[in-house]
Every structure is written in C-alpha cells, then in structure tokens.
Amino acid sequence: MWLSLTRRAALVCVAHLVFSGQLSATEVAQDTAANTGTNHRVYIEDMQFSPAKLQVRFGDTITWINNDFIPHTATAVDKSWNSKNLAKGEEFSLIVSDNTVLDYYCFYHPNMIAKIEILN
Amino acid sequence: MKSCMKNRIVSVLMLTTLAVASCAAVATTPSELNDLEIAHTAYVADNIDIQYAHLALALSTNPDIHEFARTMIRDHEAVNEQALALLEKLGAEAQDNFLSQKLIADSKSIIDNLTQLRGAEFDKAYADNELGYHKAVNELVADAFIPNIENPEVKALFEQGLKIFKQHEEHAAMMVKKLNE
Ligand SMILES: [Cu+2]
C-alpha cells in the first residue's frame, strides 16, 4: 500500500514535470520503462489519431507523435492535460493515472476526437 | 492536354496551322488546367482564406471564430509552404490563369461585404462564407484537380491538402451550427 502510493506520487510528480516543461518526453519514457508501465504510441496522421481508441493500464505511458506537416494538439476535453502545439515530428508523453481524463481531441481541429480506455 | 494532342494530330493531317493555334489557347474550364496552373490556383485559394481569417481576427470578438481563424492561417500557410517547396524542387513556377483570377475577383467583393459587418452579423457571415468556400474549393480539388494532375508528387500534396480542407469544412459546419443555436 505504502509502496503503491509512493509510486503514484512519483508518477504524478513526473507528469507535473512534463507539463511544466522541465523534463523532456524521452526522459519520462525511459523512466517509466525502467519502472514497469508499457509505452504506447499514438500517431497523428492524415488528420486522425491512430489508434483512435487506445487501451492502457494505470502507470502506462502514452506518446503522441505528429506525422502531419500541419500542427496538431492532443488535449483532454476539459483541458486538464494538453500537449500544446505539436509541429511535424514533435512528441508529447503522458503517464496515465486514475484521474487522467480519457476523452481528448485536437484543439486546432475539434472534429479530431479520440479516447483512452483503461484495462485495469 | 489530351485534347491538345488530338488537335495537333488533326492539324498535321489537315496540313493547316489553324489547329496548332487553338492548341495554345488558354484553359477555360478547371479540368483543362495544367499542373502549374492548378498549383497556382490552390496557392491563391489558400491565400484568400488566410485573408478572410485576418479579417475575422480584426473584426470579430467571438473566441470560437478567433480559434478557427488562427487554424485557417496556421494550416493554409503550412500547405502553401509545402507547395512552394515542391515547386522549387521541381524547378517549376506556378502559372496565373482564368480560375485563379476569378477566385481573386470573387474574394474582393466578399471582403468588401464582410468589412461592412460587425458583431454577430459578421460572425455569421464569416462562418457561412468559410463553409461555402471550403465546400466549393474541396469539390474543385476532388473533382477537377486531383483527377487531372499529372505529376505524382503534386497529386500527393493535393490529396493531403484535401484531407485537411475537409476537416476545415466540418469545423466550419460546426461553427455555423453553433452560431445559429
Ligand atoms: Cu489537429
């Protein structure tokens, strides 16, 4: 119990660092890989999130990669998490916790919608 | 291009120079445009939409309209950048034509009308125009341009562009619906 709580606290802390831009996406991905969680990739391609429905477990890391030449974002419907502008080739990572908002969209193209599904 | 070829053959057969002259005649329908004229028309169409967007940023106070306009500027500028890079790579220069000239003339009267409007009236007119404009240009790209483009790289860029502009059309439809609620 204590261990899992500390682990969650650590993950939240890492997520916070990503948002505040003090840690790069790759550092986070490596950190999680060392700790357990699976890394998932969502490609933003041809004006779509692919896969549009991604199944993960708590503690997994999701990395969004923009392959289009126009910028996109991956943004929670309530904006609680937000990749901000992703130019071509740019990435954004997020560690999924039990309070991660699962429905998201592209802030620039509101018809681009997708979701995360929790397997736990 | 194909009818031009046919004309040339006919002219040789008839031993007259008349048909050769008609061969050099300029395109009068969208599907007769060559790749470079198509590229130029698309470039002009992009710039017109960017102009509308700047007008919206200057005249509207609606945050949804602003966000949409910023997306139009961001995306159409990106498409134009790709188009220019491709033309440079191909060592080609875009060509002015009847359609690009018509688009510019039409846009002038639309801009004149839009600049007279303020508030909700402007927002509605801008959103309606964006929906209609994207619809018209998307039809042109899908039905007249893509089937007639000869260069595969130019064709690929237009196919990518069409996916982006279809998204814009849906976004505009959403905006129109919201403004009418
Ligand atoms: Cu997008």
Side-chain angles (χ1 to χ4, degrees):
Chain A
M1 188 60 178
W2 183 86
L3 258 176
S4 88
L5 269 179
T6 336
R7 192 168 152 261
R8 170 149 318 148
L11 290 173
V12 168
C13 182
V14 170
H16 181 76
L17 284 171
V18 177
F19 285 127
S20 56
Q22 291 168 34
L23 215 63
S24 82
T26 14
E27 279 176 276
V28 175
Q30 280 162 358
D31 191 56
T32 337
N35 282 341
T36 50
T38 308
N39 293 310
H40 306 267
R41 280 167 183 268
V42 175
Y43 294 95
I44 313 178
E45 226 163 43
D46 288 337
M47 307 301 282
Q48 281 172 337
F49 292 102
S50 173
K53 238 187 242 176
L54 178 72
Q55 297 188 316
V56 305
R57 292 178 197 279
F58 292 137
D60 286 359
T61 299
I62 306 173
T63 301
W64 284 266
I65 302 142
N66 180 19
N67 283 340
D68 277 341
F69 66 75
I70 62 163
H72 294 287
T73 78
T75 306
V77 285
D78 68 348
K79 301 196 178 66
S80 56
W81 53 269
N82 189 353
S83 69
K84 304 275 180 68
N85 190 77
L86 294 177
K88 183 174 179 155
E90 286 186 338
E91 302 182 3
F92 166 76
S93 293
L94 175 76
I95 295 163
V96 180
S97 74
D98 57 358
N99 53 21
T100 299
V101 169
L102 305 174
D103 288 309
Y104 67 94
Y105 71 118
C106 170
F107 183 68
Y108 299 153
H109 310 105
N111 290 305
M112 291 176 62
I113 52 172
K115 64 163 70 187
I116 303 163
E117 281 180 347
I118 301 297
L119 284 172
N120 297 48
Chain B
M1 206 60 171
K2 269 179 215 144
S3 69
C4 180
M5 211 41 177
K6 215 185 279 168
N7 281 350
R8 191 163 275 162
I9 294 163
V10 171
S11 81
V12 168
L13 288 175
M14 290 169 71
L15 294 170
T16 120
T17 53
L18 228 108
V20 176
S22 89
C23 194
V26 287
T28 52
T29 69
S31 42
E32 283 170 8
L33 298 172
N34 68 39
D35 284 13
L36 297 175
E37 289 171 326
I38 288 175
H40 183 68
T41 307
Y43 184 76
V44 164
D46 273 329
N47 278 330
I48 289 170
D49 203 52
I50 291 169
Q51 265 183 289
Y52 293 151
H54 282 293
L55 198 62
L57 291 179
L59 294 181
S60 175
T61 53
N62 180 317
D64 290 339
I65 296 273
H66 272 236
E67 217 38 75
F68 179 87
R70 276 195 282 266
T71 290
M72 293 308 108
I73 294 170
R74 194 186 305 114
D75 289 357
H76 288 284
E77 278 182 350
V79 172
N80 272 354
E81 220 174 276
Q82 296 287 318
L84 288 180
L86 182 55
L87 283 175
E88 200 181 332
K89 186 184 155 194
L90 299 172
E93 233 173 86
Q95 285 171 8
D96 195 24
N97 59 83
F98 88 96
L99 188 55
S100 61
Q101 286 161 8
K102 186 186 179 308
L103 286 175
I104 289 172
D106 289 352
S107 78
K108 280 187 180 146
S109 70
I110 290 169
I111 287 173
D112 280 347
N113 288 333
L114 284 174
T115 42
Q116 311 296 316
L117 306 172
R118 293 294 181 274
E121 245 189 341
F122 173 88
D123 295 344
K124 231 187 112 359
Y126 171 71
D128 284 345
N129 184 55
E130 281 303 296
L131 178 56
Y133 186 65
H134 277 91
K135 221 174 159 184
V137 174
N138 287 347
E139 274 174 23
L140 196 64
V141 170
D143 303 337
F145 291 175
I146 290 177
N148 291 302
I149 295 173
E150 290 175 3
N151 182 290
E153 282 179 277
V154 176
K155 198 190 269 265
L157 180 58
F158 271 80
E159 279 162 349
Q160 262 185 305
L162 186 58
K163 280 178 194 154
I164 299 169
F165 307 147
K166 277 191 171 158
Q167 189 68 238
H168 292 173
E169 186 183 329
E170 282 175 38
H171 191 170
M174 244 170 78
M175 206 167 55
V176 166
K177 196 173 160 232
K178 200 173 167 189
L179 288 169
N180 283 321
E181 265 165 14

